[in-house]
Amino acid sequence: MTVTGEFARLQRRLGGDKVLLRPAECSSYRYDAIQFGTRPLAVVLPETVEDVVEAVRAARAAGVPVVGRGAASGLSGGAAPAQPSLVVSFTRMTSLRILPQRREAVAQAGVVTLAVSEAARPYGLMYPPDPASLRTSTIGGNLGENAGGPLCFKYGVTGDYVKALQMVDAEGEIHHLSRGAYDLAGLLIGSEGTLGLITEATLRLVPPAQHTLTLQASFGSVEACAAAVSAAISAGAVPAKLEFMDAACIGAVEDYLNLGLPRHAAALLLVDSDGDDPAQVEAELAVVEAAFRAAGGEVRRARNPQEAAALWQARRSVSPALGRIRPARMNEDIAVPRSQLAQVVAEIQAVAAPYGFPLVQFGHIGDGNLHPNILFDPRQDDPAQVHELAHRIAQVALRHGGVLSGEHGIGSMKRAFMAEAVDPSTAAAYWAVKDALDPAGRLNPAKLLPPRAARPVRGEEPHVGA
Amino acid sequence: MTVTGEFARLQRRLGGDKVLLRPAECSSYRYDAIQFGTRPLAVVLPETVEDVVEAVRAARAAGVPVVGRGAASGLSGGAAPAQPSLVVSFTRMTSLRILPQRREAVAQAGVVTLAVSEAARPYGLMYPPDPASLRTSTIGGNLGENAGGPLCFKYGVTGDYVKALQMVDAEGEIHHLSRGAYDLAGLLIGSEGTLGLITEATLRLVPPAQHTLTLQASFGSVEACAAAVSAAISAGAVPAKLEFMDAACIGAVEDYLNLGLPRHAAALLLVDSDGDDPAQVEAELAVVEAAFRAAGGEVRRARNPQEAAALWQARRSVSPALGRIRPARMNEDIAVPRSQLAQVVAEIQAVAAPYGFPLVQFGHIGDGNLHPNILFDPRQDDPAQVHELAHRIAQVALRHGGVLSGEHGIGSMKRAFMAEAVDPSTAAAYWAVKDALDPAGRLNPAKLLPPRAARPVRGEEPHVGA
């Protein structure tokens, strides 16, 4: 049967409103929040895991790739099809159950991240992973990218809260994966839909902290700021949030909202300490404040929740503030050892200067996660130049012992850099695992994995699994 | 070259004291703490990762399996060779570095578990995973089995503390694996040396809690005990340790040491609450105590560390106490939902009764981890009967939504049960991953994975990765 015939048959089986076939309808499923992909051949909007099975089988029969998709708020192209594909959009799979006795939530892939904590709140529980897009992003998308957020320094990333997964494999088989050996659930998390489609997750819930205190600190140099952070952490502080903004970022936000941020500063930190015991929260923030002052920081404490919200408004306004400078941005997402941070920020500035693009840097500095953003105008600027600079920024991270993705994933955006980040033998192991679970290469092709190396002839050179 | 010739050459390359070839020397490397395996063909005692590479290549050239081994304190046969093999014993790879600024330890596979916390203590840090054998077990063995212990309910298991791994694959290639996608490090953890040999781990350290309080409680029924645990956890308590002993276990310890334990009780609980703030630790233990009393428990609080140590002596004495009853035991290691615990304990007693073996049950009840121990005398009792009962105990766990291994691993002991625990399509996915990373099947064969199913003919039946 032709591709068109297969998908028309899928539409008859599932019902007309679950399968989009018209190019105009399919067009809106080609992008994520940053990257544009290829227009899908068809889009399925499954309501059950059985619908997902049908979709995967139809794509298999048609011989076309399958690309899973949540809210498409991703920033690395994970959900943007690289080839003409069947897109499986999980936004209708929104079943959510809270099991308070077990401190678990059972969420289908399309459940919005924030909805988990909202449903858990009446039971005195919450779900900590907090990507910036948590009001729109889905659990399935968060799992695909192993999303993090400000709270992750203290509380861990998405994968740390997964107790079990339901997934549909490349052949349309349903699996129920717990976290025992082999930990295929762990392998699926962060695999960007290249090994299977996650349809449901059992998530661990925790009681929220009862008290939070906030401070802001500004520094005359990024070096002083980085030293302050290291000193606070070495002194035993584990703040719930620890956010960094560079001078360009401070300026962008101040131009936008005129919040009274210290324009003279080279670096700004925002810190939340949380816990159940007010005295201990205060003690932790005092440790942070002392370390920051000793490093030359000017510290402002929020005296009440309203002042805390005002301080955090600066960080929350970064995205719209950058949008006013240039209409588009390439949002890098590296993670480097904290000890290297000052040097990495400086080297990235130096590397970027000749290109002439506005560049701002901010991120979750507690775990060394940095987001250098290249601002550009797609109508005037050369996208090849933007990509070249992004590549050079990634190289700075790798040179300093860092990694390519703190929390946004690799997707299509940083795939080419993977070859530099991973040893050839380890890349071969990735491909061996990929080939094992998706032998026909139908699941989200051309994402995450470094381009496949030419396979050495067996026996000549030792290698993994070819 | 012959097998003997390959290993003689390996001995010449590495040096005589690093390679054992005499059958008498090799014999002591055939067992773990419970299971006996096949005598190794040779034993390598590597001192560097390069030695491991040489060993794997020699085994490959000789066409024999490779079995990794730590202190062999495991309880499921993971380190006991199922076939004539080259055993790689990691006990000389004991390099250990503490990086206090990064809160990390870099430990080679042969580092003894307890040594990590001892080396970290001067820096105000510790390594939480605490298998019962932590004074002898190695980090490599803990990683192979993803070991847990009493602290794991609150603090998580071995895998939760791994930031990166160094591993040697089936071809002798060295890999450096971080926890990003694909999370091959996570896949290796708990894989019992069937996917690669872990040679070094970068471990996360945490500051130890400053205060600990202890209580003991006895109950007239296992139902009341299980209800008490659920009530305490539902009320918000997350005790650092929460240990259960059944009546048979209480009796065994009391016969051994005459500690004054309540012989009339059907169940005993031992609880540690910990934290940095004494008032909060006291508040948590008060929640536990109230829940236990409401469920009919008789509670005894330790008033000082000496009394706490005395209460914990009961739990620490279980192993020697059981050794006095019968010379051997089959130590099961299931994990079941807490809500099912009372019924599981009762069903296991009922299932075991006709066999006539003494049976005791204890475990880390906080996460539903239960250790039913079948006591027997290998000189008189039929091992087939012991294995049959172990199998029936595993089936009780599976019937109640439990898993086969709480913390000891599957090894050879519970491998046959895996076929009942895992769907055929998921077992096929396990084998696809195994074949991808160890195509010749040379790494610790006949462990962990369920026996391989006959492969369906392609096209007839959808399945994974054949």
Side-chain angles (χ1 to χ4, degrees), chain A residues 169 171 175 277 426 463-464, chain B residues 169 171 175 182 277 426 463-464:
Chain A
D169 72 18
E171 308 290 331
H175 297 257
D277 176 28
T426 299
H463 64 289
V464 168
Chain B
D169 72 19
E171 307 290 332
H175 297 258
Y182 291 171
D277 176 28
T426 300
H463 64 290
V464 167

Side-chain angles (χ1 to χ4, degrees), chain A residues 35 108 340 414:
Chain A
Q35 301 278 303
Q108 281 187 319
Q340 304 292 303
K414 282 186 280 187

Side-chain angles (χ1 to χ4, degrees), chain A residues 346-357:
Chain A
E347 268 185 49
I348 288 174
Q349 282 169 348
V351 158
Y355 288 84
F357 297 117

Side-chain angles (χ1 to χ4, degrees), chain B residues 51-354:
Chain B
D51 290 347
V52 178
V53 168
E54 294 282 348
V56 169
R57 290 187 174 161
R60 179 181 157 212
V64 305
V66 175
V67 179
R69 178 187 171 96
S73 53
L75 298 168
S76 59
Q83 301 170 15
S85 305
L86 177 67
V87 164
V88 180
S89 175
F90 282 99
T91 47
R92 292 185 190 168
M93 285 182 65
T94 56
S95 156
L96 173 62
R97 281 179 298 142
I98 304 294
L99 309 174
Q101 287 276 334
R102 301 179 70 151
R103 292 191 176 187
E104 289 174 4
V106 181
Q108 280 187 321
V111 169
V112 170
T113 312
L114 185 62
V116 180
S117 280
E118 285 180 343
R121 189 177 303 132
Y123 305 100
L125 295 168
M126 63 145 349
Y127 172 68
D130 61 341
S133 54
L134 82 173
R135 281 168 191 79
T136 51
S137 69
T138 62
I139 290 297
N142 294 171
L143 289 163
E145 304 297 335
N146 198 10
L151 283 175
C152 293
F153 172 58
K154 179 168 180 180
Y155 290 97
V157 294
T158 300
D160 295 320
Y161 290 86
V162 175
K163 299 182 90 166
L165 293 181
Q166 183 192 64
M167 115 25 203
V168 174
D169 72 19
E171 307 290 332
E173 290 284 309
I174 301 171
H175 297 258
H176 298 91
L177 304 172
S178 66
R179 298 305 301 265
Y182 291 171
D183 186 9
L184 295 191
L187 189 64
L188 262 285
I189 296 163
S191 73
E192 306 192 348
T194 62
L195 299 175
L197 294 173
I198 296 169
T199 48
E200 186 178 274
T202 304
L203 303 170
R204 185 164 62 90
L205 304 174
V206 300
Q210 297 300 308
H211 301 279
T212 303
L213 292 174
T214 300
L215 69 72
Q216 180 199 77
S218 58
F219 296 86
S221 69
V222 179
E223 288 77 8
C225 168
V229 169
S230 286
I233 293 174
S234 295
V238 186
K241 299 183 183 176
L242 189 45
E243 294 289 308
F244 160 78
M245 293 164 60
D246 77 351
C249 194
I250 298 167
V253 172
E254 200 50 19
D255 287 346
Y256 176 39
L257 290 180
N258 204 11
L259 297 171
L261 300 179
R263 273 189 186 274
H264 63 282
L268 192 75
L269 291 176
L270 280 160
V271 180
D272 268 4
S273 277
D274 73 5
D276 293 336
D277 176 28
Q280 234 184 321
V281 177
E282 169 55 39
E284 181 173 79
L285 207 66
V287 164
V288 172
E289 182 167 352
F292 284 10
R293 287 194 193 280
E298 285 180 31
V299 177
R300 242 178 95 183
R301 283 262 202 140
R303 283 163 303 182
N304 52 52
Q306 292 70 37
E307 285 190 17
L311 293 182
W312 277 105
Q313 197 187 350
R315 177 66 183 84
R316 278 199 315 272
S317 307
V318 167
S319 279
L322 300 183
R324 291 177 69 247
I325 298 175
R326 291 287 186 282
R329 60 186 168 122
M330 172 76 96
N331 185 350
E332 268 286 357
D333 166 46
I334 59 178
V336 297
R338 276 194 308 273
S339 59
Q340 305 291 303
L341 205 104
Q343 213 178 328
V344 165
V345 168
E347 268 185 49
I348 288 174
Q349 282 167 348
V351 157

